[in-house]
């Protein structure tokens, strides 16, 4: 039974296509053929074609194997290295919260419910 392709939004497809194009250019700059890179990566030429086309159906492992075959595997360490949004959220969680008024003050200002001799006269 064929797999259902993943849903990919247009912006994500552009990112994948750009990555595939950069990998294709890196392969060509090294003057390596499709067959050589596919063999070094341990994938088929069809899979390499999908990676270079930015196909969302290609596995992340295939992308990693192509990066390694091109000597670019260290570039993976840059992904998500500077998590600005996560750091801001973390900093917000560390800030002290302002203290609220406690309920004991409100109780102290209320009149007591005990019967008072002045009220009964």
């Amino acid at each position: 039974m064929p797999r259902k392709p993943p849903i990919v939004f247009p912006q994500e497809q552009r990112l994948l296509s750009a990555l595939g194009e950069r990998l294709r250019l890196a392969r060509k700059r090294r003057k390596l053929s499709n067959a050589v890179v596919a063999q070094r990566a341990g994938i088929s030429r069809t899979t390499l074609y999908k990676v270079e086309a930015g196909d969302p159906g290609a596995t992340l492992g295939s992308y990693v194997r192509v990066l390694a075959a091109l000597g670019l595997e260290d570039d993976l360490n840059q992904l998500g290295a500077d998590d600005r949004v996560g750091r801001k959220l973390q900093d917000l969680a560390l800030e002290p919260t302002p203290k609220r008024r406690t309920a004991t003050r409100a109780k102290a200002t209320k009149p007591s419910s005990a019967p008072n001799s002045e009220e009964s006269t």
Side-chain angles (χ1 to χ4, degrees), residues 52-92:
E52 289 183 352
D55 186 339
T59 65
L60 179 59
S62 297
Y63 282 93
V64 171
R65 294 300 311 144
V66 171
L67 283 165
L70 295 171
L72 300 171
E73 66 274 7
D74 289 337
D75 290 354
L76 285 173
N77 290 327
Q78 299 300 318
L79 297 177
D82 187 22
D83 183 13
R84 287 184 230 142
V85 174
R87 289 187 190 275
K88 284 183 181 180
L89 290 171
Q90 184 182 30
D91 291 345
L92 286 173

